[in-house]
Amino acid sequence: MTATATATAITIDKKAARRERPPRRAIRQPLAERIAPYIYIAPFFVIFLIFGLFPLLFTFYVALFDWNPIGEQTFVGLANFERLVQDTRFWNAFVNTFGIFLISTIPQLLLALGLAHLLNHATLKMANFFRMALLVPYITSVAATALVFAQIFDKNFGLINWVLDIFGIPAVNFLSSQVGSWIVISSMVMWRWFGYNTLLYLAGLQALPREMYEAASVDGASGWQQFIHLTIPSLRPIIIFTVIMSTIGGLQIFTEPLLVAPESGLTCGGGRQCQTLALFLYEQGFGQFEFGYGSAIGVALFIVVVVVSAINFFLTTRTRKAR
């Protein structure tokens, strides 16, 4: 009975103290302070809505019309997409896009990762000079790059065919075949973005503690084991970023195939052997002025980029969880 009475008294005292405690007053911020954070971030969203979201939604809208920029706009529903599925030129551009993307992206990222690991561990004089030199291809004009690579792969006077001639191999006209044109364009893409990705990986490696590698060496781990079990897991967020960005850029490649064969115009060769989806979109939209059909190609390209990027993200995150 005594314990029960004591507990009851304590409860009554707490309730009385709670009633006597003055109520808390909510601190009211001035209106300017409450809306200031939204004003700070508003420019990004305004620009995104005007130049990002609106063009995307308008593209979906135009794809439903037979759209003449100087004439009538007739609603045709999904007719442009039905035509797209049956168009062999679209599937040719689709294959070219994926062929160039695979040949340029996978070797590029692997080489960039290996070189970043080498630069991080090697003792070099003027190391900063070599690191900054990796950015030279990135800041070089694409037109200048296309001119140089067209000369390197030229059938009659190119460096590649000169080397092949030394070994008795006949000259190869790279731009006349589908795979050959893929190699030329992929070489341009690799040369331009290789240094950029290397610096991203190198920045991530330099943020890692040296003691981690020293401890692994003491435990008897070889250089290859350190690379597999320390370097790659530590760089996983950067690897995911570079894979996604390379996927988005690789599937929208436009300038390189346009400049590598300027005499053939927007078809990139008489047989469309290196025409990509972005180039085919431009040809139909601004070359043939079929804006509705060009918009349908743009929608298809958007879906392809989203699906492939999602697959890459799923595979990289699934690998991370498995480990």
Side-chain angles (χ1 to χ4, degrees):
M1 293 294 294
T2 304
T4 304
T6 303
T8 304
I10 292 174
T11 303
I12 295 174
D13 291 340
K14 287 183 178 180
K15 292 181 179 180
R18 193 179 300 115
R19 286 195 300 268
E20 294 175 359
R21 186 183 305 161
R24 293 182 180 179
R25 293 183 178 180
I27 301 176
R28 297 183 60 84
Q29 294 179 334
L31 179 62
E33 293 185 5
R34 294 202 301 269
I35 67 174
Y38 300 98
I39 296 177
Y40 294 149
I41 64 175
F44 166 79
F45 288 99
V46 171
I47 294 175
F48 172 74
L49 289 175
I50 296 175
F51 297 101
L53 184 61
F54 172 73
L56 178 63
L57 297 178
F58 190 68
T59 300
F60 279 85
Y61 174 75
V62 175
L64 302 176
F65 288 80
D66 182 8
W67 191 286
N68 189 325
I70 58 175
E72 297 181 354
Q73 291 84 41
T74 306
F75 179 79
V76 294
L78 300 178
N80 286 323
F81 295 97
E82 295 176 359
R83 174 186 172 187
L84 190 70
V85 174
Q86 300 172 2
D87 194 344
T88 57
R89 298 173 302 173
F90 169 77
W91 294 111
N92 174 74
F94 182 86
V95 172
N96 288 336
T97 301
F98 267 88
I100 295 171
F101 162 68
L102 293 175
I103 295 177
S104 63
T105 301
I106 297 176
Q108 173 198 157
L109 295 180
L110 293 177
L111 291 173
L113 182 60
L115 181 58
H117 181 73
L118 178 63
L119 291 175
N120 186 52
H121 289 81
T123 303
L124 299 174
K125 294 182 179 180
M126 302 176 62
N128 290 332
F129 169 77
F130 289 105
R131 291 166 183 168
M132 293 303 298
L134 292 172
L135 280 177
V136 172
Y138 179 68
I139 62 178
T140 303
S141 169
V142 183
T145 303
L147 181 63
V148 171
F149 274 82
Q151 294 297 320
I152 292 176
F153 287 92
D154 185 73
K155 178 182 178 181
N156 300 316
F157 307 103
L159 177 63
I160 302 297
N161 281 313
W162 177 75
V163 174
L164 294 178
D165 183 64
I166 295 177
F167 294 95
I169 302 176
V172 179
N173 188 359
F174 288 93
L175 294 179
S176 65
S177 63
Q178 189 176 43
V179 177
S181 60
W182 292 358
I183 294 174
V184 176
I185 297 173
S186 299
S187 301
M188 295 169 57
V189 175
M190 289 176 60
W191 185 82
R192 188 175 182 217
W193 293 100
F194 171 71
Y196 175 80
N197 290 317
T198 300
L199 287 181
L200 288 179
Y201 293 144
L202 182 60
L205 287 173
Q206 290 184 334
L208 301 178
R210 291 281 182 178
E211 293 78 8
M212 181 175 63
Y213 289 97
E214 294 174 357
S217 299
V218 172
D219 291 339
S222 63
W224 176 251
Q225 290 174 330
Q226 294 179 28
F227 180 75
I228 295 297
H229 299 289
L230 293 179
T231 301
I232 294 180
S234 300
L235 290 180
R236 189 176 292 112
I238 301 178
I239 292 174
I240 294 175
F241 172 78
T242 54
V243 168
I244 298 300
M245 296 305 296
S246 298
T247 300
I248 296 173
L251 294 177
Q252 299 184 60
I253 186 170
F254 173 81
T255 309
E256 287 82 356
L258 176 64
L259 296 177
V260 76
E263 67 280 354
S264 58
L266 298 176
T267 60
C268 192
R272 300 178 180 266
Q273 60 266 25
C274 58
Q275 187 182 51
T276 60
L277 285 175
L279 200 57
F280 182 52
L281 184 159
Y282 189 86
E283 179 199 8
Q284 297 301 309
F286 297 95
Q288 304 296 329
F289 295 104
E290 296 187 11
F291 280 19
Y293 189 53
S295 298
I297 300 170
V299 172
L301 178 58
F302 171 77
I303 295 174
V304 169
V305 171
V306 170
V307 170
V308 176
S309 299
I311 292 174
N312 282 335
F313 180 78
F314 173 77
L315 292 177
T316 50
T317 53
R318 185 70 177 268
T319 303
R320 176 179 61 185
K321 293 179 180 178
R323 293 185 178 181

